[in-house]
Amino acid sequence: MSSKNKANRLLLLLSTLLLLVLGACNTESASDSNEDTDQKLRSNPDQIYVGFVLDTLREERWYRDKEAFEGAVRELGAEVKTLAANGNQQVQIQQAQLLINEGVDVLVVVPTDADGASEIVTLAHAAGVKVISYDRLIRGADLDYYLSFDNVKVGELQAQEIVNRVDQGTFAYVGGSETDNNAILFREGAMNVLKPFIDSGAINLVYDNYTENWEPERARDQLASFLASNSVQLDAVVAANDGTAGGVVEALGARAGEVEVSGQDAELAGVRRVAEGTQTMTVYKSIVLIAERAAELAIQVASGEEITTESTVNNGQADIPSILLEPIAVTAENIRETIIKEGHLSESDIYGE
Ligand code: BGC
């Protein structure tokens, strides 16, 4: 293990311990009457209080989600607190419990583990708190609402942009975290597009792996060690997001730019790679759109409103009322009409002054 990895592990361990200690302290204070606790922990008991539980803040996109969601909730006159679990499901459950103890009126959750997070729904419902799954689905629970993008379509856009450029040869699939339902859907979408080419023998899929915790370094190391021990020359890599795409581009080394690589999230580093030609595309999913929609939904739910949605998604337990937004494919040709036009990133962010 590299010293950087060791340091990261140590940091994760320390933050987990700290959160567990904090969790224990808060559980103690919450053993007073609920009303009493509410008054101690909420700055204004008359205001709606929203809890936002994130998997991680290590990726740019989630930092933006946090900022946009908190801003939108406050704009609607409510109070909000965000906690992030750094990829640890047990920590996430503790954090959800902390917020429930603080008296949140609604919980908005980006689950670390789609199945493991069902416990959060159980804990929240026991306290009369409704749960909204944000971007990632919580499976196997009586979840109240699900708000995301069409994630199968995200995978289809990724593979489609690649096969528009190269529709035969040696391909790799670099997926996300297998405990994230989205990673399964992205792969499903990509395979919808790739399967006919694989079946006809035009595409040879030599590598197909998920990436624990979506870690870019892990994506890089796994692909690099595959390339080192197999004499293959890749033509394309369908990578599930910009983080893993960054790892892929590093693993490709001198061949970066010759190999088509997909991504997702329109993160600055990803969009810069698209502009310079080492990454073929990214998928733009408007963070402002999902965050503002989630804030509205959270306030409606906290106010006891029943919301009817156009679609439902089955999470293995029930048909969950769902709102699914549209993702957009971004290539070097349409960066200006998409993410710059929408103000997601500026011209100088991407191309420099
Ligand atoms: C999100 C992606 C993100 C990934 C890693 C997925 O659930 O939909 O936008 O890149 O998680 O955090």
Side-chain angles (χ1 to χ4, degrees), residues 55 58-59 86-88 112 176-177 211-215 218:
D55 166 30
R58 284 180 301 203
E59 283 166 49
N86 277 339
N88 183 320
T112 294
S177 163
T211 309
E212 200 183 320
N213 267 336
W214 287 94
E215 280 168 21
R218 198 183 292 272

Side-chain angles (χ1 to χ4, degrees), residues 59 61-62 135-136 180 182 186 214 241 264-265 285:
E59 283 166 49
R61 78 144 288 182
W62 300 113
D135 192 67
R136 300 178 180 173
D180 174 357
N182 285 349
F186 300 148
W214 287 94
N241 73 346
Q264 168 182 197
D265 291 332
K285 303 184 299 187

Side-chain angles (χ1 to χ4, degrees), residues 11-232:
L11 202 64
L12 181 64
L13 186 70
L14 287 175
S15 57
T16 307
L17 286 173
L18 182 67
L19 277 160
L20 291 177
V21 171
L22 281 175
C25 297
N26 265 279
T27 316
E28 243 170 53
S29 62
S31 60
D32 308 338
S33 87
N34 260 345
E35 221 170 275
D36 204 30
T37 312
D38 274 14
Q39 271 163 20
K40 262 191 265 164
L41 297 172
R42 300 172 61 154
S43 50
N44 180 356
D46 297 329
Q47 237 176 357
I48 287 175
Y49 187 24
V50 181
F52 193 27
V53 184
L54 286 176
D55 166 30
T56 180
L57 274 173
R58 284 180 301 203
E59 283 166 49
E60 179 185 312
R61 78 144 288 182
W62 300 113
Y63 178 73
R64 284 172 173 260
D65 285 273
K66 174 184 181 295
E67 294 295 294
F69 181 75
E70 289 181 343
V73 169
R74 293 195 182 111
E75 191 82 358
L76 293 168
E79 200 181 331
V80 56
K81 184 182 281 183
T82 306
L83 295 176
N86 277 339
N88 183 320
Q89 184 55 44
Q90 285 315 309
V91 170
Q92 186 166 65
I93 292 169
Q94 280 281 339
Q95 294 182 330
Q97 185 66 66
L98 283 179
L99 292 169
I100 294 166
N101 292 346
E102 285 194 14
V104 288
D105 298 298
V106 58
L107 261 188
V108 179
V109 181
V110 180
T112 294
D113 182 311
D115 299 305
S118 63
E119 199 176 327
I120 294 177
V121 180
T122 308
L123 292 169
H125 283 179
V129 174
K130 293 213 159 102
V131 180
I132 300 170
S133 236
Y134 181 104
D135 192 67
R136 300 178 180 173
L137 184 64
I138 297 176
R139 290 191 301 232
D142 279 316
L143 181 66
D144 298 288
Y145 296 95
Y146 172 48
L147 173 61
S148 187
F149 286 81
D150 179 341
N151 293 304
V152 172
K153 178 144 183 218
V154 169
E156 290 172 349
L157 293 175
Q158 293 172 325
Q160 192 58 53
E161 281 301 334
I162 302 269
V163 299
N164 287 350
R165 287 162 176 79
V166 48
D167 61 4
Q168 53 185 330
T170 308
F171 276 48
Y173 184 81
V174 174
S177 163
E178 208 173 352
T179 64
D180 174 357
N181 190 61
N182 285 349
I184 312 288
L185 301 177
F186 300 148
R187 186 178 176 283
E188 183 186 324
M191 293 307 154
N192 287 345
V193 173
L194 297 182
K195 193 165 182 301
F197 297 91
I198 296 172
D199 289 349
S200 76
I203 287 175
N204 184 12
L205 188 68
V206 293
Y207 180 95
D208 182 6
N209 276 300
Y210 286 105
T211 309
E212 200 183 320
N213 267 336
W214 287 94
E215 280 168 21
E217 301 77 22
R218 198 183 292 272
R220 177 195 62 206
D221 296 347
Q222 287 179 173
L223 184 65
S225 84
F226 171 81
L227 293 174
S229 48
N230 292 275
S231 57
V232 289

Side-chain angles (χ1 to χ4, degrees), residues 271-292:
V271 178
R272 281 187 176 158
R273 283 192 299 269
V274 173
E276 83 193 8
T278 52
Q279 187 175 318
T280 312
M281 63 90 69
T282 184
V283 178
Y284 172 58
K285 303 184 299 187
S286 168
I287 287 170
V288 170
L289 193 66
I290 186 172
E292 288 183 352

Side-chain angles (χ1 to χ4, degrees), residues 76 106 132-133 145-147 292-303 305 307 309 321 323:
L76 293 168
V106 58
I132 300 170
S133 236
Y145 296 95
Y146 172 48
L147 173 61
E292 288 183 352
R293 195 68 196 81
E296 270 167 35
L297 185 64
I299 305 302
Q300 288 172 313
V301 169
S303 320
E305 276 178 49
I307 294 100
T309 61
I323 300 167

